[in-house]
C-alpha cells in the first residue's frame, strides 16, 4: 500500500505542474489588464523567473494553455477575451498586432487613422505594413514582431521563417529611406514602456500631420 500511495502522490504532483498557480493567474490577470488583451505564453519568456511556469505550461500544449485562460476567465469574468480580434471588431493577423492596434486606436487624435496591412508605399505595392498610423499626408509604419524578442533569438523553423520575412520588409523600408517602428516580442513584457512608445508615435504624427 505504501508503494501505491507513493506512486499516486508522485503522479498527482507531476500532473499539478501543468496547472497554473495562484501567482501565475495573478500575473496573467495583471498582464491582461495592462496590455488590453490576454497575453500569450511567449510574452512571459521575457518577464524572468515569475513567468517561467506560464512559459512551461504554454509549451506543454494548447490544451494546457487553454486551461490557464479558462481558469482566469472563471475567476475574473470581465477580463478581455483572447484572440486576434480587436475591441472594435477589427481582425488582425496576430494577438501582438491586436494589442498594438488597440493601444494606438485608444490614443489616436482627431483626424488620425490606424490602417491595417496597407501598402508601405502606394506606388510600390510589394510589401504591406502591419499597421500604419496616419494623419493627413504623414504616415508612420509599425511592424509587430511576434516571433522573437529584440535579441532576434528564434527557437524553431517557423520563427526563423517569420524573422526572414520581417528582414525582407525592413530591407524594403531602408531602400525607400523609411524608418519604421518595430515592436519586438519582449516589449509586451513591459506594457508601460510599450504604451509610452505608442504615445510618442501618436505625438509625432500629430505634430507633423498638423
Amino acid at each position: 500500500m505504501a508503494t501505491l500511495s507513493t506512486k499516486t502522490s508522485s503522479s498527482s504532483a507531476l500532473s499539478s505542474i501543468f496547472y497554473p498557480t495562484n501567482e501565475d493567474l495573478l500575473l496573467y490577470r495583471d498582464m491582461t489588464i495592462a496590455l488590453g488583451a490576454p497575453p500569450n505564453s511567449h510574452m512571459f519568456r521575457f518577464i524572468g523567473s515569475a513567468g517561467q511556469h506560464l512559459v512551461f505550461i504554454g509549451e506543454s500544449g494548447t490544451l494546457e494553455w487553454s486551461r490557464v485562460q479558462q481558469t482566469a476567465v472563471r475567476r475574473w469574468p470581465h477580463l478581455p477575451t483572447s484572440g486576434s480580434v480587436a475591441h472594435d471588431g477589427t481582425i488582425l493577423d496576430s494577438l501582438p498586432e491586436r494589442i498594438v492596434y488597440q493601444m494606438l486606436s485608444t490614443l489616436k487624435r482627431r483626424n488620425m487613422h490606424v490602417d491595417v496591412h496597407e501598402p508601405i508605399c502606394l506606388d510600390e505595392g510589394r510589401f504591406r505594413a502591419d499597421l500604419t498610423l496616419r494623419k493627413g499626408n504623414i504616415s508612420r509604419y509599425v511592424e509587430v514582431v511576434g516571433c522573437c524578442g529584440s535579441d532576434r533569438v528564434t527557437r524553431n523553423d517557423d520563427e526563423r521563417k517569420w524573422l526572414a520575412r520581417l528582414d525582407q520588409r525592413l530591407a524594403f523600408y531602408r531602400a525607400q529611406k523609411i524608418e519604421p517602428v518595430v515592436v519586438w516580442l519582449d516589449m509586451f513584457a513591459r506594457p508601460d514602456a510599450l504604451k509610452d512608445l505608442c504615445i510618442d508615435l501618436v505625438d509625432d504624427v500629430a505634430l507633423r500631420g498638423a
Side-chain angles (χ1 to χ4, degrees), residues 150-192:
S150 53
D151 57 7
R152 297 174 58 90
V153 174
T154 54
R155 304 179 302 168
N156 54 56
D157 288 341
D158 283 339
E159 290 183 353
R160 284 186 280 275
K161 178 175 64 178
W162 294 329
L163 182 59
R165 289 177 180 173
L166 170 69
D167 284 339
Q168 286 183 324
R169 293 199 302 279
L170 294 181
F172 180 79
Y173 280 116
R174 287 193 295 271
Q176 303 299 319
K177 294 181 171 54
I178 297 172
E179 185 176 355
V181 174
V182 182
V183 181
W184 299 91
L185 190 60
D186 53 311
M187 294 182 178
F188 294 91
R190 306 189 305 276
D192 289 342

Side-chain angles (χ1 to χ4, degrees), residues 35-51:
L35 292 171
N40 59 35
S41 62
H42 304 301
M43 296 174 184
F44 291 100
R45 286 158 44 189
F46 305 97
I47 289 181
S49 59

Side-chain angles (χ1 to χ4, degrees), residues 36 80-81 84-90 92 98-99 101-103 105-106:
T81 57
S84 57
V85 180
H87 48 44
D88 64 0
T90 300
L92 286 303
R98 169 196 169 183
I99 291 171
Y101 171 86
Q102 289 183 165
M103 285 189 177
S105 296
T106 300

